[in-house]
Amino acid sequence: MEVFFREWERRVPGETRDIARARALADVLGVLEPGVPVLTVVGSKGKGTAATYASAFLAAAGLRVCTVTSPALRTNRDRIRMDGRAVSDAELASLADALDAGIAALPPPARGYLSPSGLFMLAGVLHARRRGADAIVLEAGMGGRSDEAALFPPDVAAITPIFLEHAGVLGDTPAEIAEEKLGVAGPDTLVLSAPQSAEVAGVLGPVERVDEGGGGVPGDLLPAGLGRVSAELGVAAARRLPGVDEPSPRALWDTLASVVLPGRSSQHDVPGSATRVLVDAAIDRTGVAAALAAARRAWGTIDHVVLCLPDHKDLAGAAAELGDLPVTFVRLPLRHLGFTRALPPGWDVVGAEAVTPEALATLGHRVLVLGTGYFTGLVLDAVNADTERLFTSAASPRRS
């Protein structure tokens, strides 16, 4: 996997991702023109849910669908999927070899680097071509216009709720961030959006809005809580992709009923103990409140909370929602993330090495785990969560 992270790990302060060089690499790999319809998901929260439900709908319609998401759930294989299943070790190694050869054909980098998420996206589009995918679903990374997803102007773009995330990087206001996200769309892209604040909606303009119930899917096939609007958006966007036929009611029901969303209010047993964790990638006050509500609906009481929020996330909002609950705060040894803010008195503080089944089991029988996607991935790995397949297609692919 060294090729995916090589330039990112060697970057110097002030360097940013080099989209022009990524475009040159895509050209070398022969994937600048994917050759099949592309659906791209952007936004601040809920992108993975929207991408998963869009992919499941397309699979139910009989299409072979390649999905690229970020970050990984447990392993880097999770970032690239065909019909919901993660690529194999051998497939990912072959894609890495192709990227390595392609990078060797480029001039040495002058300023900037090839980002890991961008390289996995290029690898995913290459995998789609190799496997004869009928459609591609891309989850953009942090940005829109400045993301490698913009190299592949989508037929349909789905915009999940946008808020003040990555302030100072993508923009200083939700409006500026929305403008950056919208930049992923090309001139012929159909844009669908979840309900947005008035400020964001004003920037997006006359896009097609998907309100509650707009996905046309029975509510019992959708996730509860904040993820529902993103799931409906994903289904609505998939329906509008060129060449997509409406799946049979049976195929749609069976496929969407099979969807699992690890790390999105998902519950898991901790190996070797009586402890159960509910893991959710909540990063702001609204998300934490929703995760607390989900845990209390499931369990009644919460014994302990494990939280990991770097400086650019909503620590104050999370602390306000958690109140007097016992909290263990995890600091990660990642130089691109800061963990410098003062914490509420009484919170325990540990390092990443404490994310083990044994440590989790000491915290009680019902443990709520909250934080970034990277951190929740560490916990999913520690409890050996099944992330191999996100859904099972109930329809036969158009091509074998």
Side-chain angles (χ1 to χ4, degrees):
M1 295 300 96
E2 184 264 349
V3 63
F4 292 100
F5 300 94
R6 180 193 304 149
E7 293 191 12
W8 181 78
E9 290 176 344
R10 295 174 183 173
R11 75 197 187 286
V12 298
E15 277 193 311
T16 58
R17 60 176 63 192
D18 190 339
I19 299 297
R21 194 154 175 268
R23 177 183 293 276
L25 176 58
D27 191 30
V28 170
L29 296 173
V31 297
L32 267 182
E33 299 292 336
V36 296
V38 175
L39 188 162
T40 299
V41 183
V42 299
S44 297
K45 194 65 176 172
K47 298 192 298 292
T49 299
T52 298
Y53 273 83
S55 300
F57 180 91
L58 295 172
L63 276 69
R64 173 172 288 175
V65 56
C66 182
T67 310
V68 185
T69 57
S70 182
L73 294 174
R74 283 187 60 183
T75 76
N76 286 315
R77 294 191 301 104
D78 296 332
R79 296 174 182 255
I80 304 171
R81 297 176 181 271
M82 186 64 68
D83 294 334
R85 181 180 289 279
V87 295
S88 67
D89 287 324
E91 287 172 323
L92 189 56
S94 176
L95 293 168
D97 288 342
L99 260 64
D100 206 11
I103 293 171
L106 299 178
R111 184 72 174 172
Y113 58 88
L114 294 171
S115 73
S117 63
L119 289 172
F120 278 107
M121 184 169 292
L122 266 59
V125 177
L126 177 59
H127 186 65
R129 173 159 293 187
R130 287 179 170 182
R131 292 289 305 275
D134 299 305
I136 299 173
V137 176
L138 302 178
E139 177 192 349
M142 184 172 61
R145 181 183 295 108
S146 61
D147 192 274
E148 288 81 1
L151 298 176
F152 310 101
D155 297 271
V156 178
I159 305 180
T160 67
I162 293 174
F163 49 83
L164 197 60
E165 172 74 347
H166 301 295
V169 179
L170 300 180
D172 295 323
T173 67
E176 290 178 356
I177 293 171
E179 186 176 4
E180 157 67 25
K181 302 281 188 182
L182 184 60
V184 77
D188 299 320
T189 299
L190 171 66
V191 180
L192 282 69
S193 174
Q196 307 284 357
S197 67
E199 180 182 4
V200 169
V203 172
L204 298 183
V207 301
E208 186 172 318
R209 198 172 94 163
V210 180
D211 294 309
E212 185 174 350
V217 175
D220 48 3
L221 289 178
L222 298 168
L226 298 178
R228 175 160 297 200
V229 65
S230 295
E232 290 195 280
L233 174 66
V235 170
R239 272 198 166 99
R240 303 300 297 276
L241 205 63
V244 176
D245 298 325
E246 184 69 18
S248 71
R250 181 68 187 205
L252 181 64
W253 182 279
D254 288 348
T255 304
L256 294 190
S258 74
V259 170
V260 293
L261 297 169
R264 299 171 180 90
S265 290
S266 59
Q267 294 188 49
H268 310 275
D269 293 321
V270 176
S273 75
T275 297
R276 192 161 175 80
V277 294
L278 188 148
V279 183
D280 192 86
I283 56 172
D284 65 1
R285 184 168 189 168
T286 301
V288 170
L292 285 167
R296 287 172 174 142
R297 283 195 303 270
W299 301 334
T301 60
I302 299 169
D303 296 328
H304 206 94
V305 178
V306 180
L307 177 69
C308 178
L309 292 179
D311 289 346
H312 64 286
K313 304 299 183 184
D314 185 16
L315 178 60
E321 288 297 326
L322 295 175
D324 295 329
L325 283 169
V327 175
T328 294
F329 188 82
V330 180
R331 288 179 173 146
L332 303 176
L334 300 175
R335 66 186 179 95
H336 67 289
L337 296 178
F339 289 89
T340 63
R341 289 179 297 175
L343 302 175
W347 283 15
D348 292 330
V349 181
V350 299
E353 68 279 358
V355 184
T356 66
E358 295 77 16
L360 290 169
T362 66
L363 301 178
H365 293 302
R366 299 291 180 261
V367 178
L368 177 61
V369 177
L370 306 171
T372 63
Y374 176 84
F375 172 68
T376 56
L378 294 181
V379 177
L380 292 173
D381 194 45
V383 301
N384 197 29
D386 184 3
T387 61
E388 191 66 20
R389 186 183 279 279
L390 297 186
F391 60 85
T392 301
S393 174
S396 300
R398 293 180 179 177
R399 289 184 282 175
S400 61

